Amino acid sequence: MSATATVSTPTGLAPSVPTAILAIARRELRDALSSKWFAMFTIAFAGLAIALSFLSLAGAGSSGFAGFGRTTAGLLNLIMLLVPLLALTAGAGSIAGERERGTLLYLLAQPISRSEVVIGKFLGLSGAICASLLLGFGLSACVLTWRAGGVGVGAFVALVALTCLLAMSMLAIGLLISVRSRKTSVATGLALCVWLALVFLSDLGLMAGTILFKLRVQEVFALAVLNPLQAFKMGVIMQMNASLDVLGPAGMYASRTFGDHLAWMLPGVVGVWGAMAMVIAMVLFARRVSV
Amino acid sequence: MLDMRYRNIGISIFVLTALAARCLAAQTTDVIGALIDAAAPGSTITVPAGVYQGHLRITKGVVLDGHGAVTIDGGGEGTVVELLAPNTTLRGFTISGSGAGVDREPAGIRAETGPVVIEDNVVDDVLFGIDLRTAPDSIVRNNLVTSKHLEAGRRGDGIRLWWSHNCTIEDNSVHRSRDMVFWYSEGLHIRGNHVTDSRYGLHFMYSHDTTLEHNTLDGNSVGIYLMYSNRITVQDNVLVRNRGASGYGLGLKDCDDIVVRNNAMLANRVGIYIDNSPSSVDSNGLVEHNAVQYNEIGFLATPNTHNNDLTENAFIENEQQVAVHGKGDLAQNHFARDGRGNFWSDYAGFDLQGDGIGDLPYESRNLFESLLATDPNLRIFVNSPAQQAVEFAGRALPQLQPNPSFTDPSPLVQRPVSLAAGTSSRFNAAMGFVSLILLCVAGAGLWLGAERGLRRKEALS
């Protein structure tokens, strides 16, 4: 990310709160968009999303029945792998990077609070990541427009919205890591650890626990839904099927117990993770004695 | 002679009374009863249009025709219409308001003798719909049956046959009822019926020698469930979204000599479920040319299941193509006949000779699936990277690889063509609109960043 940029505010005046946040957000957006890592992600995500929509069209050939088959699941898997990876590392790199390069000092010398810096960076990076995701989804929708008469638009829009929410949540966690890290390499390493834990380790551990301790159905559901990625997945399935019954006994238990409340509870879990990470990040950053 | 004259006068009087009564609100079924009393056996009675309150017991073999304009309202008590004489036809009525208590099993239409013909009726707000008890050789055709607003287990059966052989049940629509159920009835013809939002779409108990064809079972708890019934052919049926607690498209329990052919099982919890069928040593089951798609489990069977031949079926994108219900394998069944197996959408082999048969056998050694057999609760982790990781571990590490529960020695590489129920590859304008909006927003974001970057470059140069 380029470090030479400065915050452009009207000269001579202390910026109002939104102006300062927006200025930082704009700079962050611009820096993110000009980074190669970001361009690579955008191209990879768009390419895979288009390929998957072609594949799912081929799969839905007979009777035009768009079931929740393996191909549709592919898009979910892709999102759950790539989106947290990008968002976590982007967030982790942002403040730690500036700290390492020494530009954070200049940034904090401006008449703005530390919370505004965190919020500004969050907004800017959110904008960049969401723009990149929307490009991928938009192209994918283009393919679906062409032939998928039966595909529900509502479910697709929900998928896009939930993915953006997931990205923002992961970004917040990345920022939390970034606030505490002295070096970009350490922050990125930590972000990768968190990614690994969220995507694989927690689920695998819970699987082992389910088998070893013969967990009851409500325990399995409660523990699984704590993981924001699982909550995201269930949220998408909820929008597509209006029920979690494809997820076996635990899903049926959830649908039976919570019913339509799941439609907001599951995105709620994802959102709460992000909000908590964001608050903690701001508190920690504000309390830091050094930059 | 005198009798005849009196009868004619009687009919005239009753018809006049009926016409007069039509103008009045409180018209009872006694009017229809009198029409029947007055008619000769075998004659056709056209019932004047209108709403009739009360119950109707038909004790003479006549043809009653309501021409779709007659409503009989039982007022929420007992059975509304009873057919108690053979050779009775009930046609074109709207029948509603039976009792709701299960102890006497109140029905919209009940026949206690056969043959009878029940056709073109609308039966609504009843506990049981059409109930045939010991009514052989009857025809139930083109009726629309809806039960009361109760929980599925507390409703009555939409159409029930009890000890009624050689009946034809065709083109009926049953919504929101319990089962369409057949008890101890043999030689039935069940065609073109449509059952939705019910418990068991078509349910057989001890009913042999029957053909079920061209029925549609959509959104029931279970589509077709055959129990203890032998020599049944199930063909050309569509079983969609049957997703109750067990959620079978087609379930077979202890049935001998069943043929399942050319059906489509789509998006059920389980496409085909077999529990110990065939149950006799010397009988066989045949499952061929079916399209089993988008189910959580394509084919599920208990480990004691044996002697089934599965050939030329298409198993496409089921979450789990084949599973065993419990510990064990399906080695006693044949997944190919005469050198032709089934089509598997996840088959990863090749066909060097180009004879349409894959050179490698299809067998499932999926670690995640074998874990699912250990603990079904793990299904909550499907469609996640963790599932992929487990499956990868199973492939990469031979010591983790489970034994295959079955083997298809000659899988088909091309999907059998006879199935496909038409494609819907039409243009989706709404999706185009969404696409446009998404691309615009993305473009705006990118432009915002890029434009600023441009300005910066200008400023630097």
Side-chain angles (χ1 to χ4, degrees), chain A residues 59-63 65 68 70-71 73 77 131 134 138 145 147-149 151 153 210 233 245-246, chain B residues 241 243 269 293-294 296 317 319 375 380 382-385 388 422-423 425-426 428 432 434-435 442:
Chain A
S62 111
S63 70
F65 203 94
F68 203 81
R70 282 183 186 267
T71 347
N77 263 319
L134 291 185
T145 303
R147 284 197 37 186
V151 175
V153 174
T210 307
K233 178 193 86 181
D245 62 359
V246 294
Chain B
R241 283 178 291 255
R243 309 187 53 87
R269 195 175 293 288
Q293 279 179 281
Y294 309 128
E296 259 97 285
E317 295 214 19
E319 193 71 47
D375 193 337
I380 197 169
V382 297
N383 302 325
S384 71
Q388 312 262 307
T423 58
S425 57
R426 58 205 154 76
N428 188 337
V434 169
S435 166

mmCIF file of all heavy atoms in Angstrom, chain A residues 59-63 65 68 70-71 73 77 131 134 138 145 147-149 151 153 210 233 245-246, chain B residues 241 243 269 293-294 296 317 319 375 380 382-385 388 422-423 425-426 428 432 434-435 442:
data_model
loop_
_atom_site.group_PDB
_atom_site.id
_atom_site.type_symbol
_atom_site.label_atom_id
_atom_site.label_comp_id
_atom_site.label_asym_id
_atom_site.label_seq_id
_atom_site.Cartn_x
_atom_site.Cartn_y
_atom_site.Cartn_z
ATOM 1 N N GLY A 59 -25.742 -28.048 -14.159
ATOM 2 C CA GLY A 59 -26.267 -29.027 -13.213
ATOM 3 C C GLY A 59 -27.775 -28.985 -13.127
ATOM 4 O O GLY A 59 -28.429 -30.001 -12.961
ATOM 5 N N ALA A 60 -28.345 -27.789 -13.267
ATOM 6 C CA ALA A 60 -29.793 -27.642 -13.131
ATOM 7 C C ALA A 60 -30.507 -27.940 -14.439
ATOM 8 O O ALA A 60 -31.655 -27.591 -14.623
ATOM 9 C CB ALA A 60 -30.138 -26.238 -12.652
ATOM 10 N N GLY A 61 -29.823 -28.604 -15.368
ATOM 11 C CA GLY A 61 -30.378 -28.850 -16.689
ATOM 12 C C GLY A 61 -31.698 -29.595 -16.664
ATOM 13 O O GLY A 61 -32.645 -29.198 -17.311
ATOM 14 N N SER A 62 -31.773 -30.667 -15.878
ATOM 15 C CA SER A 62 -32.995 -31.442 -15.917
ATOM 16 C C SER A 62 -34.046 -30.797 -15.034
ATOM 17 O O SER A 62 -33.774 -30.451 -13.891
ATOM 18 C CB SER A 62 -32.731 -32.860 -15.443
ATOM 19 O OG SER A 62 -33.346 -33.091 -14.214
ATOM 20 N N SER A 63 -35.193 -30.624 -15.590
ATOM 21 C CA SER A 63 -36.377 -30.100 -14.904
ATOM 22 C C SER A 63 -36.143 -28.720 -14.301
ATOM 23 O O SER A 63 -36.977 -28.219 -13.573
ATOM 24 C CB SER A 63 -36.844 -31.059 -13.803
ATOM 25 O OG SER A 63 -35.928 -31.050 -12.741
ATOM 26 N N PHE A 65 -34.636 -27.671 -11.976
ATOM 27 C CA PHE A 65 -34.849 -27.666 -10.549
ATOM 28 C C PHE A 65 -33.569 -27.249 -9.858
ATOM 29 O O PHE A 65 -32.603 -27.976 -9.835
ATOM 30 C CB PHE A 65 -35.278 -29.053 -10.109
ATOM 31 C CG PHE A 65 -36.024 -29.032 -8.832
ATOM 32 C CD1 PHE A 65 -37.411 -28.987 -8.837
ATOM 33 C CD2 PHE A 65 -35.353 -29.030 -7.630
ATOM 34 C CE1 PHE A 65 -38.106 -28.963 -7.664
ATOM 35 C CE2 PHE A 65 -36.048 -29.004 -6.457
ATOM 36 C CZ PHE A 65 -37.421 -28.971 -6.466
ATOM 37 N N PHE A 68 -30.334 -27.621 -3.742
ATOM 38 C CA PHE A 68 -29.144 -27.181 -3.041
ATOM 39 C C PHE A 68 -28.082 -28.263 -3.211
ATOM 40 O O PHE A 68 -27.654 -28.897 -2.279
ATOM 41 C CB PHE A 68 -29.465 -26.933 -1.570
ATOM 42 C CG PHE A 68 -28.496 -25.995 -0.948
ATOM 43 C CD1 PHE A 68 -28.636 -24.632 -1.116
ATOM 44 C CD2 PHE A 68 -27.424 -26.468 -0.234
ATOM 45 C CE1 PHE A 68 -27.736 -23.775 -0.563
ATOM 46 C CE2 PHE A 68 -26.519 -25.607 0.338
ATOM 47 C CZ PHE A 68 -26.674 -24.260 0.167
ATOM 48 N N ARG A 70 -24.414 -30.070 -4.902
ATOM 49 C CA ARG A 70 -23.007 -29.856 -4.633
ATOM 50 C C ARG A 70 -22.467 -28.614 -5.330
ATOM 51 O O ARG A 70 -21.556 -27.967 -4.835
ATOM 52 C CB ARG A 70 -22.206 -31.079 -5.072
ATOM 53 C CG ARG A 70 -22.299 -32.235 -4.091
ATOM 54 C CD ARG A 70 -21.446 -33.403 -4.529
ATOM 55 N NE ARG A 70 -21.660 -34.545 -3.650
ATOM 56 C CZ ARG A 70 -20.914 -34.798 -2.584
ATOM 57 N NH1 ARG A 70 -19.917 -34.008 -2.271
ATOM 58 N NH2 ARG A 70 -21.164 -35.838 -1.830
ATOM 59 N N THR A 71 -23.005 -28.279 -6.500
ATOM 60 C CA THR A 71 -22.475 -27.127 -7.239
ATOM 61 C C THR A 71 -22.847 -25.812 -6.558
ATOM 62 O O THR A 71 -22.012 -24.906 -6.444
ATOM 63 C CB THR A 71 -23.001 -27.119 -8.686
ATOM 64 O OG1 THR A 71 -23.595 -28.364 -8.954
ATOM 65 C CG2 THR A 71 -21.908 -26.835 -9.634
ATOM 66 N N ALA A 73 -23.428 -25.537 -3.480
ATOM 67 C CA ALA A 73 -22.622 -25.534 -2.262
ATOM 68 C C ALA A 73 -21.215 -25.025 -2.565
ATOM 69 O O ALA A 73 -20.560 -24.442 -1.700
ATOM 70 C CB ALA A 73 -22.563 -26.934 -1.673
ATOM 71 N N ASN A 77 -18.800 -22.568 -0.386
ATOM 72 C CA ASN A 77 -17.469 -22.976 0.048
ATOM 73 C C ASN A 77 -16.421 -21.966 -0.376
ATOM 74 O O ASN A 77 -15.519 -21.619 0.385
ATOM 75 C CB ASN A 77 -17.126 -24.340 -0.558
ATOM 76 C CG ASN A 77 -17.412 -25.453 0.422
ATOM 77 O OD1 ASN A 77 -17.125 -25.313 1.605
ATOM 78 N ND2 ASN A 77 -17.976 -26.526 -0.054
ATOM 79 N N ALA A 131 -16.922 -3.635 -3.023
ATOM 80 C CA ALA A 131 -16.923 -3.340 -4.462
ATOM 81 C C ALA A 131 -16.386 -4.531 -5.231
ATOM 82 O O ALA A 131 -16.934 -4.934 -6.263
ATOM 83 C CB ALA A 131 -16.076 -2.101 -4.743
ATOM 84 N N LEU A 134 -19.003 -7.267 -5.139
ATOM 85 C CA LEU A 134 -20.158 -6.941 -5.975
ATOM 86 C C LEU A 134 -19.825 -7.138 -7.443
ATOM 87 O O LEU A 134 -20.674 -7.559 -8.226
ATOM 88 C CB LEU A 134 -20.611 -5.502 -5.725
ATOM 89 C CG LEU A 134 -21.234 -5.237 -4.356
ATOM 90 C CD1 LEU A 134 -21.740 -3.811 -4.279
ATOM 91 C CD2 LEU A 134 -22.357 -6.202 -4.080
ATOM 92 N N GLY A 138 -21.950 -9.528 -9.485
ATOM 93 C CA GLY A 138 -22.640 -8.909 -10.608
ATOM 94 C C GLY A 138 -22.406 -9.685 -11.890
ATOM 95 O O GLY A 138 -23.344 -9.971 -12.642
ATOM 96 N N THR A 145 -28.641 -14.437 -15.448
ATOM 97 C CA THR A 145 -29.681 -13.730 -16.193
ATOM 98 C C THR A 145 -29.965 -14.428 -17.503
ATOM 99 O O THR A 145 -31.099 -14.609 -17.918
ATOM 100 C CB THR A 145 -29.207 -12.311 -16.542
ATOM 101 O OG1 THR A 145 -28.868 -11.663 -15.353
ATOM 102 C CG2 THR A 145 -30.282 -11.542 -17.265
ATOM 103 N N ARG A 147 -29.701 -17.478 -18.503
ATOM 104 C CA ARG A 147 -30.392 -18.753 -18.670
ATOM 105 C C ARG A 147 -31.181 -19.266 -17.489
ATOM 106 O O ARG A 147 -31.978 -20.178 -17.636
ATOM 107 C CB ARG A 147 -29.375 -19.832 -19.067
ATOM 108 C CG ARG A 147 -28.958 -19.708 -20.500
ATOM 109 C CD ARG A 147 -28.320 -20.953 -21.002
ATOM 110 N NE ARG A 147 -28.927 -22.170 -20.470
ATOM 111 C CZ ARG A 147 -28.439 -23.355 -20.696
ATOM 112 N NH1 ARG A 147 -27.364 -23.498 -21.401
ATOM 113 N NH2 ARG A 147 -29.034 -24.417 -20.189
ATOM 114 N N ALA A 148 -30.939 -18.742 -16.289
ATOM 115 C CA ALA A 148 -31.531 -19.392 -15.124
ATOM 116 C C ALA A 148 -32.895 -18.823 -14.785
ATOM 117 O O ALA A 148 -33.028 -17.988 -13.903
ATOM 118 C CB ALA A 148 -30.605 -19.272 -13.928
ATOM 119 N N GLY A 149 -33.916 -19.276 -15.490
ATOM 120 C CA GLY A 149 -35.256 -18.767 -15.258
ATOM 121 C C GLY A 149 -35.740 -19.007 -13.840
ATOM 122 O O GLY A 149 -36.437 -18.198 -13.270
ATOM 123 N N VAL A 151 -34.042 -19.373 -10.981
ATOM 124 C CA VAL A 151 -33.252 -18.990 -9.817
ATOM 125 C C VAL A 151 -33.906 -17.827 -9.083
ATOM 126 O O VAL A 151 -34.274 -16.832 -9.683
ATOM 127 C CB VAL A 151 -31.816 -18.616 -10.242
ATOM 128 C CG1 VAL A 151 -31.014 -18.110 -9.062
ATOM 129 C CG2 VAL A 151 -31.132 -19.814 -10.863
ATOM 130 N N VAL A 153 -34.355 -14.547 -7.186
ATOM 131 C CA VAL A 153 -33.575 -13.318 -7.078
ATOM 132 C C VAL A 153 -33.371 -12.941 -5.613
ATOM 133 O O VAL A 153 -32.295 -12.522 -5.202
ATOM 134 C CB VAL A 153 -34.284 -12.183 -7.838
ATOM 135 C CG1 VAL A 153 -33.574 -10.866 -7.606
ATOM 136 C CG2 VAL A 153 -34.310 -12.497 -9.316
ATOM 137 N N THR A 210 -18.358 -33.694 18.932
ATOM 138 C CA THR A 210 -19.684 -34.268 18.747
ATOM 139 C C THR A 210 -19.634 -35.791 18.811
ATOM 140 O O THR A 210 -20.488 -36.433 19.418
ATOM 141 C CB THR A 210 -20.254 -33.832 17.381
ATOM 142 O OG1 THR A 210 -20.174 -32.419 17.292
ATOM 143 C CG2 THR A 210 -21.686 -34.270 17.224
ATOM 144 N N LYS A 233 -23.140 -19.390 6.841
ATOM 145 C CA LYS A 233 -23.600 -20.480 5.973
ATOM 146 C C LYS A 233 -25.064 -20.792 6.244
ATOM 147 O O LYS A 233 -25.880 -20.893 5.326
ATOM 148 C CB LYS A 233 -22.741 -21.720 6.216
ATOM 149 C CG LYS A 233 -23.163 -22.917 5.391
ATOM 150 C CD LYS A 233 -22.519 -24.178 5.879
ATOM 151 C CE LYS A 233 -23.331 -24.788 6.999
ATOM 152 N NZ LYS A 233 -22.721 -26.015 7.536
ATOM 153 N N ASP A 245 -33.544 -27.411 7.369
ATOM 154 C CA ASP A 245 -33.689 -28.863 7.466
ATOM 155 C C ASP A 245 -32.682 -29.627 6.612
ATOM 156 O O ASP A 245 -32.510 -30.816 6.798
ATOM 157 C CB ASP A 245 -35.127 -29.306 7.184
ATOM 158 C CG ASP A 245 -35.567 -28.950 5.786
ATOM 159 O OD1 ASP A 245 -34.772 -28.343 5.060
ATOM 160 O OD2 ASP A 245 -36.709 -29.275 5.418
ATOM 161 N N VAL A 246 -31.983 -28.938 5.674
ATOM 162 C CA VAL A 246 -30.944 -29.663 4.937
ATOM 163 C C VAL A 246 -29.750 -29.976 5.832
ATOM 164 O O VAL A 246 -28.881 -30.748 5.446
ATOM 165 C CB VAL A 246 -30.430 -28.889 3.698
ATOM 166 C CG1 VAL A 246 -31.503 -28.734 2.664
ATOM 167 C CG2 VAL A 246 -29.858 -27.557 4.081
ATOM 168 N N ARG B 241 -39.787 -32.640 -3.106
ATOM 169 C CA ARG B 241 -39.811 -31.883 -1.848
ATOM 170 C C ARG B 241 -40.594 -32.567 -0.729
ATOM 171 O O ARG B 241 -41.323 -31.916 0.011
ATOM 172 C CB ARG B 241 -40.405 -30.484 -2.069
ATOM 173 C CG ARG B 241 -39.452 -29.513 -2.712
ATOM 174 C CD ARG B 241 -40.130 -28.179 -2.929
ATOM 175 N NE ARG B 241 -41.151 -28.277 -3.934
ATOM 176 C CZ ARG B 241 -41.035 -27.814 -5.187
ATOM 177 N NH1 ARG B 241 -39.964 -27.177 -5.534
ATOM 178 N NH2 ARG B 241 -42.000 -27.977 -6.059
ATOM 179 N N ARG B 243 -40.270 -33.622 2.593
ATOM 180 C CA ARG B 243 -39.183 -33.324 3.515
ATOM 181 C C ARG B 243 -39.624 -33.314 4.971
ATOM 182 O O ARG B 243 -39.255 -32.464 5.747
ATOM 183 C CB ARG B 243 -38.576 -31.962 3.179
ATOM 184 C CG ARG B 243 -38.186 -31.778 1.714
ATOM 185 C CD ARG B 243 -37.452 -30.488 1.491
ATOM 186 N NE ARG B 243 -36.352 -30.401 2.395
ATOM 187 C CZ ARG B 243 -35.157 -30.887 2.167
ATOM 188 N NH1 ARG B 243 -34.891 -31.475 1.038
ATOM 189 N NH2 ARG B 243 -34.219 -30.782 3.058
ATOM 190 N N ARG B 269 -35.758 -35.334 1.307
ATOM 191 C CA ARG B 269 -34.687 -35.584 2.261
ATOM 192 C C ARG B 269 -33.945 -36.860 1.844
ATOM 193 O O ARG B 269 -32.722 -36.892 1.802
ATOM 194 C CB ARG B 269 -35.277 -35.741 3.664
ATOM 195 C CG ARG B 269 -34.280 -35.652 4.768
ATOM 196 C CD ARG B 269 -34.987 -35.696 6.088
ATOM 197 N NE ARG B 269 -35.816 -34.535 6.334
ATOM 198 C CZ ARG B 269 -35.322 -33.330 6.605
ATOM 199 N NH1 ARG B 269 -34.029 -33.145 6.665
ATOM 200 N NH2 ARG B 269 -36.124 -32.321 6.803
ATOM 201 N N GLN B 293 -32.402 -36.854 -7.869
ATOM 202 C CA GLN B 293 -31.633 -35.618 -7.931
ATOM 203 C C GLN B 293 -31.862 -34.716 -6.743
ATOM 204 O O GLN B 293 -32.982 -34.575 -6.253
ATOM 205 C CB GLN B 293 -32.041 -34.827 -9.185
ATOM 206 C CG GLN B 293 -31.369 -35.319 -10.446
ATOM 207 C CD GLN B 293 -31.838 -34.516 -11.631
ATOM 208 O OE1 GLN B 293 -32.915 -34.756 -12.129
ATOM 209 N NE2 GLN B 293 -31.041 -33.584 -12.072
ATOM 210 N N TYR B 294 -30.802 -34.041 -6.327
ATOM 211 C CA TYR B 294 -30.885 -32.950 -5.347
ATOM 212 C C TYR B 294 -31.478 -33.375 -4.005
ATOM 213 O O TYR B 294 -32.044 -32.568 -3.293
ATOM 214 C CB TYR B 294 -31.700 -31.765 -5.882
ATOM 215 C CG TYR B 294 -31.281 -31.278 -7.223
ATOM 216 C CD1 TYR B 294 -32.205 -31.131 -8.247
ATOM 217 C CD2 TYR B 294 -29.947 -30.955 -7.476
ATOM 218 C CE1 TYR B 294 -31.822 -30.678 -9.487
ATOM 219 C CE2 TYR B 294 -29.557 -30.512 -8.709
ATOM 220 C CZ TYR B 294 -30.500 -30.370 -9.724
ATOM 221 O OH TYR B 294 -30.123 -29.934 -10.945
ATOM 222 N N GLU B 296 -30.968 -34.972 -0.126
ATOM 223 C CA GLU B 296 -29.857 -35.047 0.814
ATOM 224 C C GLU B 296 -29.175 -36.402 0.686
ATOM 225 O O GLU B 296 -27.968 -36.507 0.672
ATOM 226 C CB GLU B 296 -30.339 -34.860 2.254
ATOM 227 C CG GLU B 296 -30.099 -33.486 2.772
ATOM 228 C CD GLU B 296 -31.353 -32.679 2.618
ATOM 229 O OE1 GLU B 296 -31.628 -32.284 1.464
ATOM 230 O OE2 GLU B 296 -32.040 -32.444 3.618
ATOM 231 N N GLU B 317 -26.211 -35.104 -8.161
ATOM 232 C CA GLU B 317 -26.063 -34.044 -7.174
ATOM 233 C C GLU B 317 -26.887 -34.257 -5.921
ATOM 234 O O GLU B 317 -27.496 -33.327 -5.393
ATOM 235 C CB GLU B 317 -26.406 -32.685 -7.800
ATOM 236 C CG GLU B 317 -25.422 -32.329 -8.870
ATOM 237 C CD GLU B 317 -25.158 -30.851 -8.941
ATOM 238 O OE1 GLU B 317 -25.454 -30.147 -7.966
ATOM 239 O OE2 GLU B 317 -24.636 -30.413 -9.969
ATOM 240 N N GLU B 319 -26.707 -34.762 -2.060
ATOM 241 C CA GLU B 319 -25.693 -34.432 -1.061
ATOM 242 C C GLU B 319 -24.867 -35.682 -0.737
ATOM 243 O O GLU B 319 -23.659 -35.647 -0.636
ATOM 244 C CB GLU B 319 -26.415 -33.925 0.175
ATOM 245 C CG GLU B 319 -25.539 -33.251 1.180
ATOM 246 C CD GLU B 319 -25.046 -31.915 0.694
ATOM 247 O OE1 GLU B 319 -25.862 -31.135 0.189
ATOM 248 O OE2 GLU B 319 -23.835 -31.676 0.802
ATOM 249 N N ASP B 375 -22.712 -40.370 13.414
ATOM 250 C CA ASP B 375 -23.465 -39.358 14.158
ATOM 251 C C ASP B 375 -24.157 -38.404 13.194
ATOM 252 O O ASP B 375 -23.521 -37.519 12.617
ATOM 253 C CB ASP B 375 -22.503 -38.579 15.070
ATOM 254 C CG ASP B 375 -23.279 -37.742 16.076
ATOM 255 O OD1 ASP B 375 -24.456 -37.432 15.811
ATOM 256 O OD2 ASP B 375 -22.712 -37.401 17.122
ATOM 257 N N ILE B 380 -24.805 -30.867 10.214
ATOM 258 C CA ILE B 380 -24.813 -29.406 10.306
ATOM 259 C C ILE B 380 -23.556 -28.817 9.664
ATOM 260 O O ILE B 380 -23.513 -27.648 9.301
ATOM 261 C CB ILE B 380 -24.972 -28.956 11.776
ATOM 262 C CG1 ILE B 380 -25.394 -27.487 11.832
ATOM 263 C CG2 ILE B 380 -23.707 -29.186 12.575
ATOM 264 C CD1 ILE B 380 -25.835 -27.024 13.187
ATOM 265 N N VAL B 382 -22.235 -29.744 6.763
ATOM 266 C CA VAL B 382 -22.143 -29.878 5.309
ATOM 267 C C VAL B 382 -22.026 -28.500 4.671
ATOM 268 O O VAL B 382 -22.372 -27.482 5.271
ATOM 269 C CB VAL B 382 -23.336 -30.636 4.681
ATOM 270 C CG1 VAL B 382 -23.393 -32.045 5.182
ATOM 271 C CG2 VAL B 382 -24.623 -29.888 4.918
ATOM 272 N N ASN B 383 -21.532 -28.490 3.444
ATOM 273 C CA ASN B 383 -21.322 -27.243 2.695
ATOM 274 C C ASN B 383 -20.379 -26.299 3.413
ATOM 275 O O ASN B 383 -20.591 -25.095 3.403
ATOM 276 C CB ASN B 383 -22.637 -26.507 2.441
ATOM 277 C CG ASN B 383 -23.617 -27.356 1.700
ATOM 278 O OD1 ASN B 383 -23.223 -28.138 0.852
ATOM 279 N ND2 ASN B 383 -24.880 -27.230 2.024
ATOM 280 N N SER B 384 -19.386 -26.811 4.074
ATOM 281 C CA SER B 384 -18.415 -25.906 4.680
ATOM 282 C C SER B 384 -17.014 -26.434 4.376
ATOM 283 O O SER B 384 -16.833 -27.605 4.068
ATOM 284 C CB SER B 384 -18.639 -25.808 6.182
ATOM 285 O OG SER B 384 -18.259 -27.011 6.797
ATOM 286 N N PRO B 385 -16.019 -25.562 4.434
ATOM 287 C CA PRO B 385 -14.643 -26.002 4.144
ATOM 288 C C PRO B 385 -14.205 -27.138 5.066
ATOM 289 O O PRO B 385 -13.396 -27.974 4.661
ATOM 290 C CB PRO B 385 -13.819 -24.740 4.388
ATOM 291 C CG PRO B 385 -14.765 -23.623 4.172
ATOM 292 C CD PRO B 385 -16.087 -24.121 4.667
ATOM 293 N N GLN B 388 -14.956 -30.364 3.503
ATOM 294 C CA GLN B 388 -14.001 -30.643 2.429
ATOM 295 C C GLN B 388 -12.672 -31.142 3.001
ATOM 296 O O GLN B 388 -12.036 -32.029 2.450
ATOM 297 C CB GLN B 388 -13.740 -29.374 1.625
ATOM 298 C CG GLN B 388 -14.996 -28.654 1.229
ATOM 299 C CD GLN B 388 -15.403 -28.978 -0.169
ATOM 300 O OE1 GLN B 388 -14.593 -28.838 -1.075
ATOM 301 N NE2 GLN B 388 -16.599 -29.449 -0.356
ATOM 302 N N GLY B 422 -37.586 -31.794 -19.103
ATOM 303 C CA GLY B 422 -37.647 -30.457 -19.699
ATOM 304 C C GLY B 422 -36.836 -29.441 -18.925
ATOM 305 O O GLY B 422 -36.771 -29.478 -17.716
ATOM 306 N N THR B 423 -36.207 -28.522 -19.639
ATOM 307 C CA THR B 423 -35.369 -27.547 -18.969
ATOM 308 C C THR B 423 -36.076 -26.205 -18.896
ATOM 309 O O THR B 423 -36.970 -25.918 -19.685
ATOM 310 C CB THR B 423 -34.046 -27.356 -19.714
ATOM 311 O OG1 THR B 423 -34.363 -26.940 -21.039
ATOM 312 C CG2 THR B 423 -33.260 -28.634 -19.768
ATOM 313 N N SER B 425 -34.585 -22.951 -19.186
ATOM 314 C CA SER B 425 -33.436 -22.080 -19.372
ATOM 315 C C SER B 425 -33.905 -20.769 -19.968
ATOM 316 O O SER B 425 -33.492 -20.358 -21.022
ATOM 317 C CB SER B 425 -32.425 -22.742 -20.290
ATOM 318 O OG SER B 425 -33.052 -23.059 -21.505
ATOM 319 N N ARG B 426 -34.881 -20.168 -19.278
ATOM 320 C CA ARG B 426 -35.379 -18.932 -19.858
ATOM 321 C C ARG B 426 -34.629 -17.734 -19.288
ATOM 322 O O ARG B 426 -33.932 -17.819 -18.288
ATOM 323 C CB ARG B 426 -36.881 -18.809 -19.646
ATOM 324 C CG ARG B 426 -37.311 -18.853 -18.231
ATOM 325 C CD ARG B 426 -38.753 -19.338 -18.162
ATOM 326 N NE ARG B 426 -39.031 -19.973 -16.906
ATOM 327 C CZ ARG B 426 -39.213 -19.314 -15.764
ATOM 328 N NH1 ARG B 426 -39.140 -18.004 -15.737
ATOM 329 N NH2 ARG B 426 -39.436 -19.955 -14.653
ATOM 330 N N ASN B 428 -33.936 -14.478 -17.364
ATOM 331 C CA ASN B 428 -34.401 -14.052 -16.043
ATOM 332 C C ASN B 428 -34.172 -12.549 -15.900
ATOM 333 O O ASN B 428 -33.083 -12.097 -15.567
ATOM 334 C CB ASN B 428 -33.642 -14.838 -14.981
ATOM 335 C CG ASN B 428 -34.195 -14.613 -13.593
ATOM 336 O OD1 ASN B 428 -34.841 -13.603 -13.324
ATOM 337 N ND2 ASN B 428 -33.944 -15.550 -12.713
ATOM 338 N N GLY B 432 -31.225 -9.994 -14.210
ATOM 339 C CA GLY B 432 -30.485 -9.019 -15.003
ATOM 340 C C GLY B 432 -30.453 -7.664 -14.309
ATOM 341 O O GLY B 432 -29.423 -6.989 -14.264
ATOM 342 N N VAL B 434 -30.745 -7.153 -11.089
ATOM 343 C CA VAL B 434 -29.840 -7.285 -9.943
ATOM 344 C C VAL B 434 -28.396 -7.166 -10.400
ATOM 345 O O VAL B 434 -27.580 -6.442 -9.806
ATOM 346 C CB VAL B 434 -30.064 -8.643 -9.227
ATOM 347 C CG1 VAL B 434 -28.970 -8.902 -8.213
ATOM 348 C CG2 VAL B 434 -31.420 -8.666 -8.558
ATOM 349 N N SER B 435 -28.092 -7.856 -11.475
ATOM 350 C CA SER B 435 -26.737 -7.825 -12.016
ATOM 351 C C SER B 435 -26.311 -6.399 -12.334
ATOM 352 O O SER B 435 -25.217 -5.949 -11.972
ATOM 353 C CB SER B 435 -26.687 -8.696 -13.277
ATOM 354 O OG SER B 435 -25.512 -8.443 -13.985
ATOM 355 N N ALA B 442 -20.520 -1.621 -7.791
ATOM 356 C CA ALA B 442 -19.104 -2.003 -7.797
ATOM 357 C C ALA B 442 -18.300 -1.008 -8.614
ATOM 358 O O ALA B 442 -17.230 -0.533 -8.201
ATOM 359 C CB ALA B 442 -18.949 -3.409 -8.364
#
